[in-house]
Amino acid sequence: MMEAININHFNRHKITEADIIRRILSGEKELYEILVRRNNQKLYRVIRSYLNDEAEIEDIMQNSYIKGFTKLYQFKLEASFSTWLIRIAINEALARLKEKGKLYHISERAEELNKNTILEIPDKKQLNPQDKMIHHEAKQLLEKAIDQLEPKYKIVYMMKEIEGMSLKETALALDLTLSNVKVRLHRSKEMLKDSLFVISHDTHIFEFGFSRCDRITERVMENI
């Protein structure tokens, strides 16, 4: 496995994704660690749109990365690696749901949130202990609200609003039309109360922490 300092060197000098992939295909498979670390957070959030069990999510992440590595020669550089990888991960997640007999299951909790509910959203500029606790609780409320969305709305919301992917990237990754993505995104926002939507740009939502990032990266690199 590469030393961490070498990975930081590649990231600092902005080595392009295309260059990394070409070098991996030429035999420098240790460079795959860079792609894994760059995509861990995004892949975690995408898979979590379909499954809530953390062990299962990490298992699918690992399988997706390994499959991505073994099929890397099929990757066309016209699209981003993350978009291609997400397609693999979504297929893995759907296959897991199919195995569990839950592919088309829609929870009753996926009904639109009660618009009369009042939720206090903290001012993130105030960082005293009490406000930190309130913000943490508000973040949990947001995560719970997102989890209540139907999968087809949840995945679009997570990719576009939480992960910051463009509408075009989202449509490509999900194999949907741009107009369909827009409709689902609008619907997902309608399902979330306005006050929750205000804080949904918090990039700490559904975090994939450093220790977990290291763990999944090590597992992938050991198996390729």
Side-chain angles (χ1 to χ4, degrees), residues 12 16-17 40 44 46 58 62-63 74 92 94-95 133-134 159-161 194 201 210 219 224:
R12 184 169 59 252
T16 67
E17 196 171 76
N40 268 338
Y44 170 74
V46 166
E58 290 193 18
Q62 180 175 323
N63 291 344
Q74 296 178 354
E92 290 287 308
L94 292 177
M133 179 184 69
I134 294 173
M159 292 172 71
K160 176 63 175 64
E161 297 300 329
D194 289 343
H201 296 287
F210 291 122
R219 287 178 186 172
I224 63 173

Side-chain angles (χ1 to χ4, degrees), residues 50 83 87 90 151-161 164-190:
Y50 294 92
T83 300
R87 292 291 297 274
I90 289 174
K152 65 180 181 179
Y153 298 121
K154 182 179 178 182
I155 184 62
V156 170
Y157 186 86
M158 289 283 284
M159 292 172 71
K160 176 63 175 64
E161 297 300 329
M165 295 176 66
S166 69
L167 289 169
K168 184 177 180 180
E169 288 175 324
T170 302
L172 183 61
L174 297 176
D175 197 22
L176 297 171
T177 64
L178 193 60
S179 60
N180 200 328
V181 168
K182 290 179 180 179
V183 169
R184 292 188 185 189
L185 180 62
H186 176 73
R187 179 60 177 158
S188 69
K189 291 178 181 180
E190 288 293 310

Side-chain angles (χ1 to χ4, degrees), residues 46-119:
V46 166
I47 297 171
R48 200 187 185 288
S49 297
Y50 294 92
L51 298 157
N52 292 332
D53 183 272
E54 296 296 329
E56 227 172 5
I57 293 171
E58 290 193 18
D59 185 48
I60 292 176
M61 287 179 69
Q62 180 175 323
N63 291 344
S64 299
Y65 280 127
I66 293 173
K67 184 169 289 187
F69 178 80
T70 58
K71 295 182 178 294
L72 192 59
Y73 67 93
Q74 296 178 354
F75 173 65
K76 294 179 172 57
L77 295 172
E78 292 90 350
S80 69
F81 175 76
S82 63
T83 300
W84 184 73
L85 182 66
I86 284 171
R87 292 291 297 274
I88 293 175
I90 289 174
N91 287 335
E92 290 287 308
L94 292 177
R96 186 67 58 89
L97 287 172
K98 187 175 183 180
E99 288 175 7
K100 295 158 68 77
K102 296 182 177 180
L103 184 55
Y104 298 107
H105 173 71
I106 298 177
S107 170
E108 292 180 0
R109 293 186 304 158
E111 296 293 332
E112 183 172 354
L113 297 176
N114 185 346
K115 295 184 181 295
N116 294 322
T117 301
I118 297 176
L119 293 173

Side-chain angles (χ1 to χ4, degrees), residues 3 17 34 45 54 73 97 136 145 154 195 216-217 220:
E3 297 292 337
E17 196 171 76
I34 299 173
R45 286 171 170 165
E54 296 296 329
Y73 67 93
L97 287 172
H136 175 71
K154 182 179 178 182
S195 57
I216 195 70
T217 300
V220 169

